[in-house]
Amino acid sequence: MAKVLWAIITMAACFILVEPLKCKKCSVGILGKCLFSSQQACSNSEDRCYTGKAEFNITGVLGFETAGCLANSSCVNSTGSVLGVTYTITRTCCSTDLCSAASTPHLPATTALSAALLVFAWARAMF
């Protein structure tokens, strides 16, 4: 009887001590490189890690990347339009720790700053 009780306690502890999913987080990424990366513990409602990319269809090249935690129901691609310019958002989701592809910054600071200024200038010219 004691063995059965210990087995039940052990099984319960496994469910109670389950750690949340951990994802790579990228708040802002440009040209395929994350400018501000970290790790994130997902909430109970966020059961997937994701990598997202938003591309403006007018440029075909320039886009923004993000990564982090997301609910499975939000792991869908979408399109939209802002001031007549269409965009596509592509999300790739996975469900294991640190599986999102948020790359760390390997760009020199001057290159990253130049890219950010270029995006800002382009956005101001378009809108």
Side-chain angles (χ1 to χ4, degrees):
M1 183 68 173
K3 288 182 182 181
V4 172
L5 183 59
W6 278 110
I8 292 171
I9 291 171
T10 302
M11 293 284 286
C14 288
F15 289 106
I16 293 170
L17 298 175
V18 173
E19 292 186 23
L21 179 67
K22 292 180 184 139
C23 299
K24 295 178 184 176
K25 180 176 173 71
C26 177
S27 299
V28 178
I30 300 173
L31 301 174
K33 300 295 177 191
C34 183
L35 301 179
F36 306 103
S37 64
S38 62
Q39 288 186 12
Q40 174 182 19
C42 300
S43 69
N44 289 338
S45 63
E46 298 171 322
D47 58 351
R48 298 286 187 263
C49 295
Y50 83 97
T51 302
K53 184 171 185 175
E55 286 185 308
F56 292 97
N57 298 343
I58 195 168
T59 65
V61 177
L62 185 61
F64 302 98
E65 293 87 21
T66 62
C69 299
L70 193 65
N72 187 41
S73 60
S74 298
C75 289
V76 295
N77 298 334
S78 59
T79 58
S81 179
V82 174
L83 297 174
V85 177
T86 58
Y87 61 87
T88 302
I89 298 175
T90 306
R91 293 179 189 94
T92 304
C93 295
C94 54
S95 59
T96 58
D97 280 344
L98 304 175
C99 61
S100 52
S103 60
T104 56
H106 294 286
L107 295 173
T110 54
T111 305
L113 181 59
S114 298
L117 290 173
L118 176 66
V119 168
F120 179 75
W122 176 80
R124 279 197 61 123
M126 293 304 296
F127 305 110

